[in-house]
Amino acid sequence: MNFCAIDFGHTNYKIAIIQNNSIVSVQKNSYEDISELHHLSAVVQKSSCEKIVCCNVLKENDLQIIMNEMPNEINGMLKFLKPEDCSKYISLAYKNNLNNLGMDRALNLVGASVKTKKDVIVIDAGTATTIDYLDSNKKHLGGIILPSKNLIDSIFLEMLDFDFTNEELTNGVLSSNTRSCIENGSTISAYNVINNILDKMINDNSLSPEIYVTGGNSQDVLDNCNYPIIHVESLLFEGILVFEA
């Protein structure tokens, strides 16, 4: 079956084309440029897609604004997945408020669950950084959400009454301008803490899980992680593939 998948993330949206159970292309787009949604009918027709499977983490009102940009003939093809749908494949930790679990986190875990028979830690390095633990019995033990480096930087940019972004960036914990102080601090805050959390997750479970990283800031995690780690470019879409296999 050929189908299209859309990941409506906090910062951007991604469109994937899946043909014969393989991801053949992924295109990332900014919400400031929603032109690709206007062209979606042509993309679907060209790829012989039978449906469009969606993951959404946006607020309902924000999603509705975007949906209004969709070609009319596309609306009937949309299928939005919910965290409860993942219960067929894995046991999720959010028992009392399952719909409060981000659909992206749930799909990442579904995608990771078919890659190994070992315990798994999934790091999604995007607008925020999420870290989740899935044991070998496909039971989600829970996770944690951290601010990304970009998120920390943007908070300081909003707080200060001057623009520090044009200052020279130098490395080190003893910095002599605001940009370097903030960016070096945000790097330490965003990435050193990941190693601390991995230490706790691995020591608490006394096992050697496989660790996967996905998301736009994956390379920074790879560069700063103390553990062997596997980069998966489109783990969320691989999770959607499990549903549609």
Side-chain angles (χ1 to χ4, degrees):
M1 175 185 292
N2 296 343
F3 66 96
C4 179
I6 304 178
D7 171 22
F8 293 105
H10 289 292
T11 305
N12 52 61
Y13 66 96
K14 299 176 183 177
I15 301 175
I17 303 299
I18 291 90
Q19 295 178 337
N20 301 319
N21 291 325
S22 296
I23 302 169
V24 298
S25 68
V26 177
Q27 181 175 340
K28 182 169 68 173
N29 306 283
S30 168
Y31 288 115
E32 296 177 359
D33 179 12
I34 55 177
S35 60
E36 288 304 314
L37 293 178
H38 297 160
H39 303 150
L40 200 53
S41 293
V43 172
V44 168
Q45 185 176 10
K46 180 179 179 181
S47 305
S48 301
C49 293
E50 300 178 21
K51 58 184 171 181
I52 303 172
V53 184
C54 302
C55 169
N56 173 59
V57 296
L58 296 174
K59 294 180 180 179
E60 185 175 346
N61 289 342
D62 294 334
L63 178 63
Q64 189 56 55
I65 292 172
I66 295 170
M67 290 298 97
N68 292 337
E69 299 292 334
M70 288 281 197
N72 292 332
E73 62 270 23
I74 290 296
N75 288 330
M77 301 178 66
L78 298 176
K79 173 186 176 182
F80 282 88
L81 296 176
K82 297 181 179 180
E84 62 190 36
D85 299 326
C86 298
S87 299
K88 179 181 177 181
Y89 306 98
I90 58 177
S91 175
L92 291 168
Y94 281 42
K95 299 301 182 184
N96 298 324
N97 49 1
L98 189 55
N99 285 329
N100 287 349
L101 175 66
M103 190 63 218
D104 51 350
R105 291 172 65 190
L107 282 173
N108 284 335
L109 289 168
V110 171
S113 71
V114 299
K115 288 183 169 296
T116 179
K117 294 182 179 180
K118 299 175 64 176
D119 286 20
V120 172
I121 294 176
V122 175
I123 305 172
D124 188 348
T127 304
T129 300
T130 61
I131 308 176
D132 286 281
Y133 197 104
L134 187 75
D135 71 14
S136 59
N137 294 316
K138 299 188 178 182
K139 181 179 179 181
H140 178 214
L141 303 185
I144 195 165
I145 301 175
L146 308 168
S148 67
K149 179 184 182 301
N150 291 341
L151 195 57
I152 298 171
D153 290 342
S154 66
I155 291 172
F156 280 107
L157 190 60
E158 292 179 5
M159 287 173 51
L160 300 177
D161 60 358
F162 62 93
D163 183 1
F164 57 81
T165 57
N166 60 346
E167 295 179 342
E168 180 184 1
L169 178 61
T170 58
N171 295 322
V173 293
L174 297 176
S175 303
S176 58
N177 62 53
T178 301
R179 180 188 177 189
S180 298
C181 286
I182 289 175
E183 292 207 32
N184 291 331
S186 63
T187 297
I188 293 170
S189 298
Y191 299 118
N192 284 24
V193 70
I194 292 177
N195 289 313
N196 180 265
I197 291 168
L198 293 177
D199 289 342
K200 293 181 182 299
M201 285 185 172
I202 292 170
N203 291 336
D204 287 350
N205 291 282
S206 300
L207 295 169
S208 299
E210 289 192 0
I211 305 173
Y212 298 105
V213 64
T214 191
N217 297 320
S218 292
Q219 189 58 54
D220 290 321
V221 175
L222 290 165
D223 290 342
N224 290 277
C225 188
N226 294 336
Y227 290 88
I229 191 166
I230 302 167
H231 179 223
V232 183
E233 183 67 31
S234 301
L235 189 56
L236 183 148
F237 290 129
E238 291 189 22
I240 291 178
L241 267 176
V242 175
F243 277 85
E244 303 300 327

